[in-house]
Amino acid sequence: DIVLTQSPDTLSLSPGERATLSCRASQSVTGRYLAWYQQRPGQTPRLLIYDASRRATGIPDRFSGSGSGTDFTLTISRLEPEDFAVYYCQQYGSSRQTFGQGTKVEIK
Amino acid sequence: QVQLVQSGAEVKKPGASVKVSCKASGYTFTNYFMHWVRQAPGQGLEWMGIINPTGGATTYALKFQGRVTMTRDTFTSTVYMELGSLRSEDTAIYYCARGPAALDFWGQGTLVTVYS
């Protein structure tokens, strides 16, 4: 299975700041088949980005994704109060999909 | 609108089995694969497997192979996930989520508690 390692585990930032989250794969992710999800406390995960860089329906343009191969990045250009949450990456390039362990973005 | 409605919370003893359902509506059931993902208390997301509603073909995470069975009923647009030989570490919220790849719609989750 492809192992996804997210960094950092926790990111402490202030509203208005830029957040950069990393997701590194143990082997190349076929076809840039990588997604990012946001999970707020007590809520179900929400799809933000798919195919590494495509925003899902209704996702604000302050969220962007990039990367290929084994290194992927989720960027939140200016943090809004509702963006403080846990973010997960997921690869779906192999028959057995996997998630990263998550990055918590908390208010500094 | 797309909806995935899951069955209610369950409490099971170690060694028992649990079967969770997920009823889909608002789209053509056979056009999208369905995944199962679980989340233990305070932990991250764990992918369990996928089912193709058209033919019923499945792929399971190696960790669950031999213990999990995913099935579907195309007449009621419902998928099922059965997990056997339950242990305390299986206490988690179990989600169904629509594929085939990135998961764009999720069920509300079903809490399964395993304790003696």
Side-chain angles (χ1 to χ4, degrees):
Chain A
D1 287 359
I2 297 178
V3 176
L4 298 179
T5 302
Q6 294 186 238
S7 61
D9 287 333
T10 303
L11 197 52
S12 298
L13 295 168
S14 300
E17 288 194 294
R18 182 184 188 90
T20 303
L21 287 67
S22 172
C23 177
R24 179 161 289 178
S26 60
Q27 54 189 279
S28 185
V29 176
T30 303
R32 302 181 76 225
Y33 291 143
L34 188 116
W36 291 92
Y37 300 85
Q38 175 194 69
Q39 189 177 32
R40 296 171 177 147
Q43 296 189 15
T44 62
R46 176 174 73 141
L47 176 65
L48 299 175
I49 300 287
Y50 65 97
D51 293 352
S53 60
R54 298 176 183 271
R55 270 189 300 277
T57 303
I59 301 303
D61 60 7
R62 65 179 181 272
F63 291 92
S64 63
S66 62
S68 64
T70 60
D71 289 292
F72 297 86
T73 300
L74 174 70
T75 301
I76 311 171
S77 59
R78 291 174 312 278
L79 284 165
E80 298 288 340
E82 62 268 28
D83 299 337
F84 291 92
V86 179
Y87 293 83
Y88 296 94
C89 58
Q90 174 221 9
Q91 67 79 22
Y92 45 95
S94 65
S95 59
R96 291 183 170 84
Q97 304 184 12
T98 49
F99 286 94
Q101 85 280 10
T103 290
K104 182 179 182 180
V105 178
E106 66 176 22
I107 299 176
K108 187 174 182 180
Chain B
Q1 72 283 21
V2 175
Q3 281 195 303
L4 303 176
V5 179
Q6 298 184 223
S7 49
E10 302 263 11
V11 178
K12 295 291 182 180
K13 291 190 182 301
S17 295
V18 68
K19 191 171 186 177
V20 180
S21 68
C22 169
K23 183 173 175 59
S25 63
Y27 70 98
T28 302
F29 178 67
T30 50
N31 282 359
Y32 293 84
F33 289 36
M34 196 73 79
H35 301 247
W36 288 91
V37 176
R38 77 176 186 180
Q39 187 170 36
Q43 302 301 307
L45 302 173
E46 183 172 31
W47 186 80
M48 299 181 67
I50 185 173
I51 182 167
N52 180 348
T54 299
T58 55
T59 300
Y60 303 134
L62 294 176
K63 174 177 179 176
F64 299 103
Q65 209 135 34
R67 233 175 26 110
V68 70
T69 303
M70 296 176 188
T71 56
R72 93 287 186 226
D73 180 341
T74 55
F75 294 103
T76 61
S77 299
T78 302
V79 295
Y80 300 90
M81 187 284 299
E82 184 169 20
L83 186 63
S85 303
L86 290 170
R87 32 210 189 233
S88 58
E89 310 89 87
D90 294 318
T91 293
I93 298 174
Y94 289 77
Y95 295 102
C96 59
R98 192 180 79 161
L103 309 178
D104 58 355
F105 287 93
W106 295 64
Q108 84 276 18
T110 296
L111 176 62
V112 175
T113 304
V114 182
Y115 88 117
S116 53

